[in-house]
């Protein structure tokens, strides 16, 4: 403090120089600069600024309800009953909804969803999750004590990565993740100061995974870090591929042999569209491979209420199942999640309904099945439509959208465009996507936000807009691409 | 890589895991609570105990202890969850109009859509207006509001931003002893340096600037102090700092270049005569531009406490003041990775800051429920303090606010060596015995921090009045018995 008692002339305490250096390295393209520009444009439109389009189409994020998908009636009925239990006297609600609400409320402190729950999540919900997993996996047992409810899948993923991050320099934890990947992984790895070990999916073979590529990436990584984890997203994001059972077995064998903790992000497990494709959970395959693997490989599998046919992103519901976790580490995990008290209870309740949905014979079953089927088949149609239309555009090449909610087509950019982008210090596909946004109002995320092979360019577009709007969007895209190609040739 | 896979060590072990995580402790849900849960199971299995139920007075979980939710809030949330109910004549118009307004601000008119990462804009505007009303008109910018997953989330995020450097330049964070152990846990996890400043137990847990000064000077020798955290009303201590004290703290933060973090989640929980809640934001601005344009401040609030008690919804917000614009960009980027806070919690926060007004249909019921809850808490605060102060060996400061009592317990001479023999903190030893003998679950003072050689426990004042009387009587009995046994 200066002698005359006045406040010293100083800079701020918290500046880009004094802040957490790792946070500066974090990027999350799904809500990055292009989305910020899209939001700005929306404001300009509202102010009456004239544009070549009337609305911004946010095809950047897997936000199903925002794009018009309806919630499942039964789920919302139960949520309303849990929220305002007086409605249990209301004869407008079906009995099966009321029974589920009562069961959930009974397991809440003071029978209220406003009470904290245990940090691992409501006991009976974890039991229901375990039963769901068991049914899904053909009877392979699931222990409720291995289930942790989470604030969306992202929360569980970050928590496990946090546990795994240790060491320094050459012993620093290395985390294997696909290129392309959902950028939560790269962002978390950057924030935690872990080492990202990229393995390339094979674009020529429908984004499949080659063990030889895993091997290559791992060997290279061993020279500068301590690889400990292998992350895989199946069905894939952004790429949408649904890995074959053989591939999943190979990955498990690889993880076992190379001492890697396996993290299986399976949030799109119900979003499988292509014929011949089927979702196989890592847990199931692991156990079907016998005790040599099932009693050894450390696995964490993640699921969420945000995708599939529910699309309940805003509720932040999710869970993870941990297999073969060291008991001492598990105690540490439980302790770590206790600091944040508990995941949001509405999300826990919602997860309960997802894993404990109406059964044949129950009053809500038919409506439930109808709604579920409608959502999934609409997505399947839109997946096909997208692939077909994009593949008619010279300079756009789109792999089959086998699952998930996105297409990740490859775009050929003229040399002049690439140079102009570089002159602006923009990734070429960002340059392309920005122009697309300014000229058509369509907001996509450039492939550079997910990772791609050097010299290739892509974008990720959701298949979520309603079919009619999607058709319009795809045609505008086609038009834009042709114009862009001409303009920069 | 051995050829025989069978005998390999696990990948993730106590030795290979994140060492910072091992250092994390969170007593509020720590070993004593785990034992309490075990005892509950034993009771359910029919095992005979000297009591018939476990009373969880360890955690500020209002609804679990019988507090009722505010009717209006749950009506609005039900309408938001299942908009078909908007046709239902059983819901009042003011609830319906708030629900419609919230839904219109949600993607696709649904609570199930992601919101912007900073939180629904409309709600941030409502929060800003609430802050302005609360603080006598001092401007609050919606763009400085970040909705969060409970206050804990935002506190963690700010601490994360603040942590940098190595060795002598490692970020030091000042926090009270005693403190709510989210702070010590977060600092351990982030590998920051905890700088403890002692609250004055002899003066009703007040804060002395000279003690802040002492702690700071000491800390400068081994780290780079950057932040000062204060919980007001206090947890676990319940003190409501005077306006003078708040001014002094602001002056201190300004003079010593510290980022101020004000945890104000108990802002409606003020019971004692002569005590008033003054927000750090308000005092800062009333001190004039010399301070209000300089001091970097983050203030935190939540839907978990006060009269709402909606812990399970994980609603909360922080207001940042004088944050460097580039850092703010980084903050916005950081929260975007987790997409958004839970939308039901955001909606709940909206009705908290935008409750029924005098001319609206739900007003009377709302005020009655709010008043009853807060008045009951005030009664229980008083009662707790009175009864505990009658117990020889227990000394309880006035519970001026918040939801807890943090009495000092004098442990008889033989208890301490026995505890140490068991490898237990003496107050943990005491609380464990209390749990085993009475079923009452409290948290030992060692979980919050206390002066060396002193012992405390934290007990919530949340059980119903009747039950609380019984709990206090049992504690009195236990204390007397414990004193006799270990003298």
């Amino acid at each position: 403090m200066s002698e005359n008692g006045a406040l010293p002339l100083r800079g701020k305490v918290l500046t880009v120089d004094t802040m957490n250096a790792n946070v500066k390295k974090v990027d999350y393209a799904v809500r990055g600069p292009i989305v910020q520009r899209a939001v700005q444009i929306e404001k300009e439109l509202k102010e009456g600024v004239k544009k070549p389009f009337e609305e911004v189409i946010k095809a950047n994020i897997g936000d199903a309800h925002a794009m018009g998908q309806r919630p499942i009636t039964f789920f919302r009925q139960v949520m309303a009953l849990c929220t305002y239990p007086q409605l249990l006297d209301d004869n407008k609600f079906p009995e099966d909804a009321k029974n589920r609400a009562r069961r959930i409320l009974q397991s809440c402190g003071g029978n209220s969803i406003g009470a904290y729950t245990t940090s691992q999540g409501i006991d009976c919900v974890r039991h229901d999750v375990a039963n769901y997993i068991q049914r899904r996996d053909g009877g392979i047992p699931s222990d409720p004590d291995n289930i942790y409810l989470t604030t969306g899948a992202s929360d569980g993923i970050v928590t496990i990565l946090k546990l795994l991050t240790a060491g320094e320099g050459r012993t620093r934890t290395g985390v294997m993740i696909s290129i392309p990947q959902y950028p939560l992984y790269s962002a978390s790895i950057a924030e935690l100061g872990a080492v990202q070990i990229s393995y390339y999916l094979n674009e020529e073979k429908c984004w499949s995974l080659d063990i030889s590529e895993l091997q290559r990436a791992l060997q290279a990584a061993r020279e500068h870090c301590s690889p400990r984890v292998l992350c895989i997203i199946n069905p894939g994001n952004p790429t949408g591929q649904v890995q074959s059972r053989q591939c999943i077995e190979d990955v498990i064998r690889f993880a076992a042999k190379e001492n890697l903790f396996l993290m299986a992000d399976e949030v799109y497990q119900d979003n499988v569209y292509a014929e011949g494709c089927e979702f196989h959970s890592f847990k199931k395959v692991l156990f079907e491979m016998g005790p040599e693997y099932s009693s050894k490989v450390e696995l964490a599998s993640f699921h969420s209420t945000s995708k599939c046919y529910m699309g309940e992103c805003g509720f932040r519901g999710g869970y993870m199942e941990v297999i073969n976790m060291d008991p001492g580490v598990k105690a540490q995990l439980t302790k770590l999640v206790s600091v944040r008290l508990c995941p949001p209870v509405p999300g826990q309740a919602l997860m309960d309904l997802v894993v404990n949905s109406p059964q044949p014979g129950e009053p809500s079953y038919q409506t439930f099945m109808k709604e579920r089927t409608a959502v999934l088949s609409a997505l399947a149609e839109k997946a096909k439509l997208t692939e077909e239309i994009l593949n008619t555009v010279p300079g756009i090449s789109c792999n089959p959208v086998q699952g998930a909610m996105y297409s990740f087509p490859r775009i050929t950019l003229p040399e002049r465009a690439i140079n102009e982008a570089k002159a602006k210090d923009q990734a070429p596909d960002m340059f392309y996507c920005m122009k697309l946004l300014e000229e058509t109002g369509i907001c996509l995320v450039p492939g550079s936000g997910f990772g791609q092979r050097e010299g290739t360019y892509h974008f990720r577009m959701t298949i979520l807009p309603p079919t009619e709007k999607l058709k319009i969007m795809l045609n505008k895209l086609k038009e834009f691409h042709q114009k862009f190609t001409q303009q920069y040739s | 890589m051995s050829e025989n896979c069978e005998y390999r060590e696990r990948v993730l072990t106590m030795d290979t895991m994140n060492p910072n995580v091992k250092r994390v402790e969170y007593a509020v849900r720590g070993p004593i609570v785990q034992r309490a849960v075990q005892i509950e199971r034993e009771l359910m299995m029919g095992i005979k105990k000297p009591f018939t139920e476990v009373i969880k007075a360890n955690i500020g979980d209002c609804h679990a202890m019988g507090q009722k939710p505010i009717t209006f809030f749950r009506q609005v949330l039900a309408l938001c969850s299942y908009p078909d109910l908007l046709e239902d004549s059983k819901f009042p118009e003011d609830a319906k109009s708030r629900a419609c307004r919230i839904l219109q601000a949600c993607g696709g008119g649904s609570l199930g859509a992601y919101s912007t990462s900073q939180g629904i804009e409309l709600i941030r505007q409502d929060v800003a207006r609430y802050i302005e009303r609360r603080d006598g008109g001092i401007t609050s910018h919606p763009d400085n509001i970040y909705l969060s997953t409970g206050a804990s989330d935002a506190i963690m995020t700010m601490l994360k931003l603040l942590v940098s450097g190595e060795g002598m330049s490692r970020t030091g964070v000042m926090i009270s002893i005693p403190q709510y152990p989210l702070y010590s846990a977060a600092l351990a996890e982030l590998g920051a340096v905890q700088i403890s400043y002692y609250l004055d137990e002899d003066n009703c847990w007040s804060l002395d600037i000279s003690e802040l000064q002492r702690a700071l000077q000491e800390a400068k020798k081994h780290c780079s102090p950057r932040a000062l955290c204060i919980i007001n009303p206090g947890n676990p201590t319940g003190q409501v700092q005077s306006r003078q004290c708040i001014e002094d703290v602001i002056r201190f933060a300004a003079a010593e270049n510290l980022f101020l973090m004000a945890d104000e989640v108990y802002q409606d929980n003020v019971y004692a005569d002569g005590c008033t809640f003054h927000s750090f934001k308000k005092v800062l601005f009333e001190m004039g531009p010399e301070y209000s344009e300089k001091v970097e401040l983050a203030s935190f609030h939540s839907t978990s406490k006060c009269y709402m008690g909606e812990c399970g919804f994980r609603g909360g917000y922080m207001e940042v003041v004088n944050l460097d614009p580039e850092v703010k960009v980084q903050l916005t980027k950081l929260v975007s990775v987790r997409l958004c806070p839970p939308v039901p919690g955001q909606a709940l926060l909206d009705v908290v800051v935008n409750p029924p007004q005098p001319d609206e249909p739900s007003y009377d019921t709302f005020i009655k429920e709010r008043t009853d809850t807060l008045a009951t808490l005030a009664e229980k605060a008083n009662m707790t303090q009175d009864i505990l102060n009658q117990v020889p060996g227990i000394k309880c400061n006035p519970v001026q606010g918040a939801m807890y009592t943090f009495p000092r317990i004098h442990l008889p001479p033989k208890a301490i060596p026995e505890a140490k023999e068991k490898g237990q903190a003496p107050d943990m030893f005491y609380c464990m015995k209390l749990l085993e003998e009475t079923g009452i679950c409290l948290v030992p003072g060692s979980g919050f921090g206390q002066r060396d050689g002193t012992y405390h426990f934290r007990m919530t004042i949340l059980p119903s009045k009747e039950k609380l009387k019984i709990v206090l009587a049992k504690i009195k009995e236990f204390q007397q018995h414990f004193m006799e046994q270990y003298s």
Side-chain angles (χ1 to χ4, degrees):
Chain A
M1 180 138 156
S2 71
E3 277 180 6
N4 65 3
L7 284 182
L9 276 174
R10 59 177 176 86
K12 287 191 191 288
V13 182
L14 183 56
T15 67
V16 284
D17 294 323
T18 63
M19 72 173 276
N20 185 322
N22 286 347
V23 170
K24 285 189 283 193
K25 301 197 198 99
V26 165
D27 281 305
Y28 183 68
V30 176
R31 285 209 149 167
I34 195 163
V35 184
Q36 286 160 11
R37 177 60 190 143
V39 169
Q40 218 176 4
I41 291 176
E42 273 179 326
K43 292 200 169 114
E44 291 172 13
L45 279 171
K46 256 211 246 177
E47 289 163 18
V49 177
K50 268 230 147 297
K51 304 244 171 227
F53 49 87
E54 287 166 354
E55 67 166 333
V56 169
I57 301 176
K58 298 250 198 57
N60 57 294
I61 184 170
D63 193 359
H65 292 193
M67 300 311 284
Q69 184 178 306
R70 314 305 292 151
I72 298 291
T73 304
F74 183 76
F75 293 169
R76 293 307 191 87
Q77 287 176 329
V78 180
M79 291 314 303
L81 289 161
C82 287
T83 300
Y84 190 54
Q86 251 128 306
L87 292 170
L88 289 164
D89 296 328
D90 188 325
N91 58 17
K92 271 201 267 17
F93 287 88
E95 271 318 299
D96 48 4
K98 291 184 177 182
N99 288 336
R100 286 197 184 42
R102 283 189 196 104
R103 185 162 170 279
I104 290 166
L105 289 174
Q106 266 156 36
S107 56
C108 293
N111 294 340
S112 165
I113 56 174
Y116 286 125
T117 69
T118 66
S119 303
Q120 210 171 323
I122 295 170
D123 236 33
C124 84
V125 177
R126 289 185 292 109
H127 274 87
D128 290 349
V129 168
N131 287 337
Y132 159 82
I133 292 171
Q134 213 161 298
R135 283 190 317 265
R136 180 197 68 190
D137 294 347
I140 291 162
S142 174
D143 184 349
D145 202 48
N146 286 339
I147 309 291
Y148 286 74
L149 304 189
T150 55
T151 307
S154 298
D155 177 31
I157 291 164
V158 174
T159 297
I160 296 293
L161 287 174
K162 189 179 291 185
L163 278 181
L164 281 156
T165 302
E168 281 176 58
R170 286 206 56 169
T171 65
R172 192 68 174 165
T173 295
V175 179
M176 300 188 74
I177 180 63
S178 53
I179 294 299
Q181 46 105 35
Y182 172 54
L184 165 70
Y185 290 89
S186 46
S188 305
I189 291 166
E191 195 193 305
L192 293 167
V195 179
Q196 180 170 336
I197 305 169
S198 303
Y199 62 87
Y200 289 86
L201 298 178
N202 190 339
E203 185 160 19
E204 271 77 57
K205 294 218 178 103
C206 212
W207 298 114
S208 61
L209 212 164
D210 287 321
I211 300 300
S212 55
E213 167 57 15
L214 285 183
Q215 198 65 256
R216 177 212 61 77
L218 184 67
Q219 291 321 341
R222 285 204 163 119
E223 289 166 27
H224 62 91
C225 73
S226 195
R228 286 199 186 93
V229 203
L230 168 51
C231 300
I232 178 163
I233 309 171
N234 184 52
N237 177 3
T239 47
Q241 85 285 1
V242 178
Q243 300 295 0
S244 69
R245 199 218 155 83
Q246 182 61 56
C247 170
I248 294 171
E249 279 191 29
D250 291 344
V251 170
I252 290 170
R253 226 167 257 121
F254 178 79
K257 183 159 146 268
E258 304 294 349
N259 283 13
L260 298 167
F261 188 108
L262 209 37
M263 288 175 63
D265 180 341
E266 300 176 326
V267 304
Y268 297 99
Q269 54 191 261
D270 295 338
N271 300 110
V272 174
Y273 316 123
E275 268 186 42
C277 286
E278 210 183 309
F279 171 73
H280 301 282
S281 76
F282 266 79
K283 164 86 178 301
K284 182 188 76 169
V285 176
L286 176 65
F287 276 72
E288 286 176 352
M289 287 167 72
E292 183 193 352
Y293 294 97
S294 63
S295 59
K296 295 278 160 45
V297 175
E298 291 148 75
L299 169 69
S301 308
F302 305 90
H303 195 21
S304 157
T305 59
S306 302
K307 313 298 178 187
C308 295
Y309 64 92
M310 302 82 76
E312 297 281 11
C313 308
F315 276 81
R316 315 313 287 112
Y319 75 74
M320 63 179 170
E321 181 183 27
V322 296
I323 297 292
N324 293 324
M325 182 169 270
D326 176 281
V329 173
K330 193 164 181 294
Q332 293 290 319
L333 168 60
T334 303
K335 179 189 75 176
L336 183 62
V337 300
S338 80
V339 180
R340 301 298 290 272
L341 291 148
C342 70
V345 182
Q348 296 190 43
L350 180 63
M351 181 53 91
D352 191 58
L353 304 173
V354 170
V355 299
N356 194 12
S357 55
Q359 292 304 297
E362 288 191 293
S364 304
Y365 178 71
Q366 292 195 325
T367 306
F368 169 75
M369 283 309 290
K370 184 166 178 292
E371 291 175 351
R372 182 183 193 273
T373 305
V375 169
L376 290 175
S377 57
L379 284 169
E381 271 180 61
K382 294 189 286 186
K384 252 204 131 27
L385 181 73
T386 299
E387 180 195 334
E388 278 167 5
I389 294 183
L390 288 178
N391 276 325
T392 66
V393 185
I396 298 188
S397 167
C398 185
N399 264 324
V401 178
Q402 294 180 335
M405 291 177 176
Y406 316 95
S407 74
F408 195 70
R410 179 148 171 209
I411 48 177
T412 307
L413 300 178
E415 199 66 37
R416 269 188 53 213
I418 295 173
N419 295 335
E420 185 163 330
K422 291 186 174 167
K424 284 185 161 185
D425 205 25
Q426 255 184 349
D429 43 23
M430 173 64 93
F431 177 73
Y432 175 94
C433 289
M434 278 296 202
K435 282 216 169 285
L436 176 71
L437 173 61
E438 301 285 348
E439 291 177 26
T440 68
I442 297 167
C443 181
L444 310 178
V445 189
S448 42
F450 303 86
Q452 57 205 345
R453 279 202 181 276
E454 199 62 56
T456 67
Y457 310 104
H458 301 77
F459 60 73
R460 187 188 81 165
M461 185 187 92
T462 69
I463 58 168
L464 296 174
T467 308
E468 282 325 300
K469 193 169 263 184
L470 186 63
K471 279 187 190 150
I472 293 170
M473 215 179 89
L474 290 165
N475 283 308
K476 283 194 172 190
L477 198 55
K478 177 173 186 165
E479 215 177 282
F480 168 84
H481 190 87
Q482 286 164 337
K483 180 158 162 269
F484 184 91
T485 304
Q486 273 175 296
Q487 187 183 352
Y488 287 95
S489 287
Chain B
M1 182 185 82
S2 75
E3 283 183 354
N4 179 355
C5 287
E6 285 186 17
Y7 297 105
R8 69 176 175 85
E9 283 259 309
R10 282 192 166 95
V11 182
L12 183 56
T13 67
M14 292 296 281
D15 293 326
T16 63
M17 70 172 278
N18 186 326
N20 286 348
V21 170
K22 285 191 283 193
R23 289 194 266 273
V24 166
E25 296 300 330
Y26 183 68
V28 175
R29 285 210 148 165
I32 195 160
V33 183
Q34 286 161 10
R35 178 59 191 143
V37 169
Q38 216 176 4
I39 291 176
E40 273 178 324
R41 291 206 177 112
E42 292 172 12
L43 279 171
M44 253 207 273
M45 290 190 285
I47 296 180
K48 267 227 145 305
K49 302 242 173 230
F51 48 87
T52 50
E53 68 166 329
V54 169
I55 299 177
K56 298 251 197 59
N58 58 295
I59 184 170
D61 194 0
C62 311
H63 293 191
M65 301 311 285
Q67 183 177 309
K68 298 310 206 194
I70 298 291
T71 303
F72 184 75
F73 294 168
R74 292 306 190 87
Q75 287 176 331
V76 175
L77 282 168
L79 289 160
C80 287
S81 299
Y82 188 51
D84 277 23
L85 291 171
L86 289 164
E87 314 291 315
D88 190 326
S89 58
K90 273 199 265 25
F91 287 87
E93 277 314 304
D94 47 4
K96 290 182 177 181
S97 63
R98 278 184 188 54
C100 287
R101 189 166 168 275
I102 290 167
L103 288 176
Q104 265 157 36
C106 293
S110 166
L111 287 190
Y114 286 124
S115 74
T116 66
S117 303
Q118 210 171 324
I120 294 171
E121 200 176 335
L122 181 73
I123 298 178
R124 290 187 288 110
Q125 287 165 358
D126 289 350
V127 169
R129 277 195 279 270
Y130 159 81
I131 292 171
E132 283 176 357
R133 286 192 314 267
R134 180 198 68 191
D135 293 347
I138 292 160
T139 312
S140 174
H141 293 286
D143 201 48
N144 286 340
I145 309 292
Y146 286 74
L147 305 190
S148 55
T149 307
S152 298
D153 176 30
I155 290 165
M156 203 52 220
T157 295
M158 284 315 302
L159 287 174
K160 189 179 291 183
L161 278 179
L162 282 157
V163 176
S164 63
E166 281 176 58
M168 281 221 46
S169 69
R170 191 66 175 168
T171 296
V173 177
M174 301 187 75
I175 180 64
S176 54
I177 294 298
Q179 46 105 37
Y180 172 55
L182 164 70
Y183 290 89
S184 46
L187 296 175
E189 195 193 303
L190 293 167
V193 179
Q194 179 172 336
I195 303 170
S196 302
Y197 62 87
Y198 290 85
L199 299 177
D200 188 352
E201 184 161 18
D202 297 327
N203 274 312
C204 212
W205 298 115
S206 62
L207 213 163
D208 284 319
I209 300 302
S210 56
E211 168 55 17
L212 285 182
Q213 199 63 255
R214 177 211 62 77
L216 184 68
Q217 292 321 328
E218 240 345 278
K220 278 181 168 156
K221 298 177 190 167
H222 61 92
C223 72
S224 195
R226 286 199 185 94
L228 167 51
C229 300
I230 177 162
I231 309 171
N232 184 50
N235 178 2
T237 47
Q239 87 284 2
V240 177
Q241 298 296 359
S242 69
R243 198 215 158 86
Q244 183 61 56
C245 170
I246 293 172
E247 280 191 28
D248 291 345
V249 170
I250 290 171
R251 230 169 252 120
F252 177 79
E256 301 294 345
N257 283 14
L258 297 168
F259 189 107
L260 209 39
M261 288 178 55
D263 181 340
E264 301 176 327
V265 304
Y266 297 100
Q267 53 191 264
D268 296 338
N269 301 112
V270 175
Y271 316 124
D273 270 347
C275 287
T276 310
F277 170 72
H278 302 282
S279 75
F280 267 80
K281 164 85 180 299
K282 182 187 77 167
V283 176
L284 176 65
F285 275 71
E286 287 176 351
M287 287 168 72
E290 184 192 356
Y291 295 94
S292 64
E293 285 173 8
K294 298 271 165 42
V295 175
E296 292 148 75
L297 168 68
S299 309
F300 306 90
H301 195 20
S302 157
T303 59
S304 301
K305 313 297 177 187
C306 296
Y307 63 94
M308 303 82 76
E310 297 282 12
C311 307
F313 276 81
R314 315 314 285 114
Y317 75 77
M318 69 173 166
E319 181 184 26
V320 296
V321 176
N322 294 322
L323 195 67
D324 177 285
E326 286 181 289
V327 173
K328 193 164 182 296
V329 168
Q330 293 290 322
L331 167 60
T332 303
K333 178 188 75 174
L334 182 62
V335 300
S336 80
V337 181
R338 301 297 291 272
L339 291 147
C340 71
V343 180
Q346 297 189 42
L348 175 63
L349 182 65
D350 192 61
V351 269
V352 169
V353 298
N354 196 11
Q357 293 305 295
D359 58 339
E360 292 187 293
S362 303
Y363 180 73
D364 285 345
T365 305
F366 168 74
I367 288 296
K368 181 171 186 303
E369 290 176 350
R370 182 182 193 273
T371 306
D372 282 351
T373 296
L374 290 175
T376 306
L377 283 167
E379 275 181 63
K380 294 191 288 187
N382 252 323
M383 179 173 89
T384 298
Q385 184 186 322
D386 286 344
I387 294 180
L388 287 179
N389 275 324
Q390 292 165 20
V391 183
I394 296 186
K395 182 168 185 311
C396 184
N397 263 323
V399 179
Q400 294 179 335
M403 290 176 176
Y404 315 96
T405 171
F406 194 70
R408 179 142 171 215
I409 48 178
H410 290 278
L411 299 179
K414 289 198 194 137
I416 295 170
E418 184 161 332
K420 295 196 166 157
E421 224 175 283
K422 286 187 159 181
Q424 266 180 346
D427 44 22
M428 173 64 91
F429 176 72
Y430 177 96
C431 290
M432 278 295 202
K433 278 210 169 287
L434 177 72
L435 174 62
E436 301 285 348
E437 290 177 28
T438 67
I440 298 165
C441 182
L442 311 178
V443 190
S446 43
F448 302 86
Q450 56 204 346
R451 279 201 182 278
D452 248 350
T454 66
Y455 310 104
H456 302 75
F457 61 72
R458 187 188 82 164
M459 186 185 90
T460 70
I461 57 168
L462 296 175
S464 67
K465 256 190 288 182
E466 282 324 301
K467 197 166 261 182
L468 188 60
K469 279 188 190 146
I470 295 170
V471 167
L472 291 167
K474 285 192 173 193
I475 290 176
K476 178 173 185 168
E477 209 181 292
F478 171 83
Q479 171 74 11
Q480 287 166 341
H481 178 236
F482 188 88
M483 294 272 266
E484 279 165 41
Q485 191 181 355
Y486 288 96
S487 288

